[in-house]
Amino acid sequence: MDILKKIEMFREEEEKLRWEGTFGDYLLLLKEKPWVAQSAHSRVYNMIKDAGIEVVKGTKNYNFFGNQLFGLEESLERLVEEYFHPAAKRLDVRKRILLLMGPVSGGKSTLVTMLKRGLEAYSHTERGSVFAIKGCPMHEDPLHLIPHHLRSDFYEEYGIRIEGNLSPLNMMRLEQEYGGRIEDMLVERIFFSEDKRAGIGTFSPSDPKSQDIADLTGSIDFSTIAEFGSESDPRAYRFDGELNKANRGMMEFQEMLKCDEKFLWHLLSLTQEGNFKAGRFALISADELIVAHTNETEYRSFIANKKNEALHSRIIVMPIPYNLKVSQEERIYEKMIRESDVSDVHIAPHTLRVAAMFTILTRLKEPKKGDIDLVKKMRLYDGENVEGFNAVDVSELKKEYQDEGMSGIDPRYVINRISSTIIRKEIPSINALDVLRSLKDGLDQHPSITAELRDRYMNFISVARKEYDNIAKNEVQKAFVYSYEESAKTLMDNYLDNVEAYCNKAKLRDVLTGEEINPDEKLMRSIEEQIGISENAKKAFREEILIRISAFARKGKRFDYNSHDRLREAIQKKLFADLKDVVKITTSSKTPDEQQLKKINDVVARLIDEHGYNSTSANELLRYVGSLLNR
C-alpha cells in the first residue's frame, strides 16, 4: 500500500476516535466505561498488562517489553509487580518518583522510551482512552469539576474516587464561560503525544545558572498583564512547563540527580500530595508518573548528601542491571545490527554467541561455591542443563550478589567492535575469530578499563575462544557425519542395550546370527573414555544411566539422545573421534584429490544449506578446524 494512503487512513481513524460532549455527556460515558477515569499509574499498568503476560519457569514475561528489552525479565517483573501494580491500586507507592538505576547502555532509556511510545499508542485504544476538559493546557481531569462536598456521593454512585482540585484557569473559565454550570462544560478525548506535548513530557537539566524553573512549572506571560491587570490572573500565565504538559500521563526526568536543588523541591509535594506550586496561585493538581534514571555512582553520591534526605523517601529505586543470559545478549546484538547500515553483511553462525559469551563473563561475579566455575554459571543462567546442578542451585547463585550485572562490558562496545571488524575486513562476511580479535584489540582503547581489568577480560576472550573451538569442531563434525542425529541415536541405543545387559548380568542376542553374546565391553569403554570415565568408575556410571532411564520411564517420558548431558557429549566425541582422521586429512590437504574435493564440497554444501553459513564462512570454518586438529 502507498505510504501516503496509509497516512490518510491513520488520519481518518484518528478522526473517528475523536469525541466531544458536555460534562453531563461524559458522566453518561463513565457509566458505560468506568475505566476511562483511571489514574496515570493505572493506565501505565493496564497498558503493560493488556499487551499480554506469559509465565516461563515461574518468571512473568511481559509481551509489552518483548521485542526491545532482552534478558531483563526478573527486573521487569519486579518493576511491574512492586511499583506499577500497587501504584495502579492507589497504594502509597504511587507517591514515589520511579528511579531506574543501572549501568550505561543497560536498557534504562529504552525502557522509558517504550513507556512513552506505548502510552501514545494506548491512548488511541478503547481501554486507554483519555478525556480532558476542552481547551485546558494541562488536559485536566473532568472529574475535578465535582465539588468536594459531593465527591463521597459520586463515589457511592459511580465507584470512582476523585483526587485533585480544579485548576485556577478552569475555575475561572467555569464561572465566566459557563456561568458556573458544571454540567455544560465541554469535555473532549485527547491523545497522548510527546511531540505535541500532550500527556508526555521530558525534562533535561542544563546549566543551573541559566535554566529557569519555568521549564518545569510554566511562567507568566508578561505581554498579557496589561490586558488582564494582574500576575495572579490565570489567563496571564502560560501553563506550558513539563509538569503541566505531562499531566494525566508521564514525565521523564533526565539526569535528575544532576539537577539543581530548587527543581527537585517541586517534586516533593507533587509526589506526596499530587500537586505543585506555580506562580501566584493555589497549589495545582497533577496526576502523572515521574520516571528518572541514573547510574550507580551518581545515586551513591546523591544519597550520601544529607541535604537530599527529604527526597530519598520520595524515591523508589529499581535496579536495571545488564542482561546475564548469553542467548538474550545475542538477541540484543541482532536487534542493534538489524537497525544499522551493516545488516546486509553475512555474520557466520555462532559469531554473536561467542561475542555474547565474552560479554556475559565480564558481568558475572565469581561463584562463592567451590564446585562451580564462571563458565558453568554462565550456562546455568542461560537455562542450559549442567550435570550436577538444578534450578535450586541457580536460585542460590543469584542470591549470592545483590549487585551482579551492574558492571562489565556494555552492548555498545561489542557492536562498535563488530562494526569495526566489518569495515576493516572489507568483505561481506565475518566470523567469531574476527570479532574476538577485534574485541581484544579494542580493550587497549577503552578509557574505563584498568590494567587489572584488561588482564581479566583478556582471559575471558581466551575462554570464549576455547568455547568457539568446541562449537567449530562440533559444527564440522555434524556436517561430516551423514544423518548426524540418526548416527548418534543408533550409537547411543547400541550403548544402552549393552549397558542394560551389563548391569543385569544378561546376554545380548546378535541381530544377524541370533546367537547370544556378551555385552560389548570394547564399545562401552570407547564411549566412556571420551569423557574421562575410568575403569574403576565405569560400573557406577552405567548404573547411574540405568537409574536415569527408569526415572524417565516412571514419569512416562522417553530417555533419548538429549536426556543425559555427559552421555550426549561422549557420543558426540566418539563419533567425531571415528571421523577425526577423515576430517583432518580432508580439511588440511593443500592439494586434495578428487575424492577429498568431493567430500569438502559436500560438507560446504551441508554447512550452507543446513547450518546457515555462506561459501566464505564455511570454507573459513573448515580451514580453522583443520588447523585445530593438526595441532
Side-chain angles (χ1 to χ4, degrees), residues 58-247:
T59 301
K60 289 183 179 178
N61 288 354
Y62 299 93
N63 295 340
F64 178 82
F65 302 107
N67 296 322
Q68 294 290 324
L69 295 171
F70 307 109
L72 297 178
E73 292 82 10
E74 290 173 10
S75 298
L76 292 173
E77 181 178 6
R78 184 180 169 198
L79 171 65
V80 174
E81 295 304 321
E82 293 186 20
Y83 182 77
F84 288 130
H85 193 180
K89 298 291 185 186
R90 296 180 183 270
L91 293 171
D92 208 52
V93 72
R94 71 195 168 102
K95 297 177 180 180
R96 306 285 182 272
I97 298 165
L98 174 61
L99 180 64
L100 306 176
M101 180 185 71
V104 294
S105 193
K108 303 184 299 297
S109 298
T110 302
L111 196 159
V112 175
T113 301
M114 287 187 76
L115 292 174
K116 288 181 183 177
R117 299 294 84 82
L119 278 174
E120 289 177 344
Y122 196 58
S123 68
H124 284 78
T125 67
E126 178 80 1
R127 290 275 300 164
S129 51
V130 190
F131 294 82
I133 295 172
K134 188 178 181 184
C136 173
M138 284 184 61
H139 328 292
E140 187 164 10
D141 185 347
L143 293 183
H144 286 180
L145 290 164
I146 302 285
H148 281 271
H149 67 278
L150 293 177
R151 290 186 177 181
S152 58
D153 296 338
F154 180 84
Y155 177 70
E156 285 182 20
E157 185 177 348
Y158 286 83
I160 298 170
R161 298 185 190 278
I162 303 173
E163 294 179 347
N165 303 312
L166 196 61
S167 66
L169 179 61
N170 286 324
M171 199 176 291
M172 177 178 281
R173 288 179 63 208
L174 177 62
E175 296 301 323
Q176 294 186 358
E177 296 177 28
Y178 298 95
R181 289 180 59 81
I182 290 170
E183 63 270 30
D184 293 340
M185 199 157 192
L186 290 177
V187 174
E188 65 179 347
R189 182 174 179 179
I190 63 166
F191 304 103
F192 287 161
S193 169
E194 185 174 18
D195 294 337
K196 295 177 182 177
R197 303 191 73 211
I200 297 175
T202 303
F203 181 79
S204 183
S206 56
D207 183 1
K209 295 176 183 176
S210 61
Q211 190 159 34
D212 192 347
I213 197 71
D215 294 345
L216 264 185
T217 61
S219 61
I220 297 166
D221 185 351
F222 290 101
S223 66
T224 61
I225 291 177
E227 180 184 350
F228 299 119
S230 169
E231 289 184 16
S232 59
D233 190 310
R235 293 168 299 178
Y237 196 85
R238 292 196 187 105
F239 293 90
D240 60 356
E242 292 304 321
L243 291 179
N244 308 104
K245 292 300 182 181
N247 186 34

Side-chain angles (χ1 to χ4, degrees), residues 453-519:
L453 261 184
R454 183 182 176 280
D455 291 342
R456 189 164 182 263
Y457 289 174
M458 289 290 280
N459 181 50
F460 291 147
I461 286 176
S462 299
V463 173
R465 168 75 177 268
K466 286 175 186 172
E467 291 294 309
Y468 176 65
D469 289 352
N470 292 329
I471 291 170
K473 284 190 275 191
N474 192 41
E475 197 87 317
V476 171
Q477 169 189 334
K478 286 181 181 179
F480 262 88
V481 178
Y482 180 74
S483 301
Y484 173 77
E485 293 296 335
E486 287 77 3
S487 302
K489 182 179 177 299
T490 302
L491 182 59
M492 192 193 77
D493 287 344
N494 196 0
Y495 174 78
L496 293 178
D497 288 342
N498 280 277
V499 163
E500 190 173 359
Y502 171 85
C503 291
N504 294 328
K505 295 183 172 57
K507 290 184 180 286
L508 291 165
R509 192 168 294 279
D510 191 295
V511 291
L512 294 176
T513 65
E515 65 178 314
E516 288 190 335
I517 54 174
N518 290 322

